Amino acid sequence: MTEENLLNMHQHEFFKKILVLKKDFDFSVTSWFRTEKRNKQVGGKPTSKHLSGLAVDAVLDDLKDKERFLIKIRELGLHFLDEYASGKMHVHIQI
């Protein structure tokens, strides 16, 4: 399997997991795939998973759902950073 095929497989699995989250929670994705230029503009790390489509920033419609949302992210085997705590008002989710 080529590196590109492996990346495509990971992207597909990640997308499916985001769709599972969407079935249970109301949220908007404010960032997914980023160019290197955009990543620099927003202060992203040079190794950001956004550059390969393996990370999203999600904004919940209702913050009362946040704890259940974070639990579900873990159950799906994904990682997150709760950026609400730092004032950035989103949850960063990545593979």
Side-chain angles (χ1 to χ4, degrees), residues 31-54:
S31 183
W32 195 318
F33 282 89
R34 288 185 192 156
T35 63
E36 288 183 22
K37 180 179 179 179
R38 178 67 181 152
N39 195 55
K40 284 181 186 177
Q41 289 172 337
V42 299
K45 296 179 181 176
T47 58
S48 171
K49 299 242 186 239
H50 284 284
L51 296 170
S52 59
L54 296 175

Side-chain angles (χ1 to χ4, degrees), residues 3-18:
E3 189 173 322
E4 183 178 349
N5 287 345
L6 187 60
L7 175 61
N8 288 338
M9 185 178 73
H10 287 302
Q11 289 168 333
H12 181 74
E13 290 302 314
F14 182 65
F15 179 71
K16 287 190 330 189
K17 290 178 180 186
I18 296 302

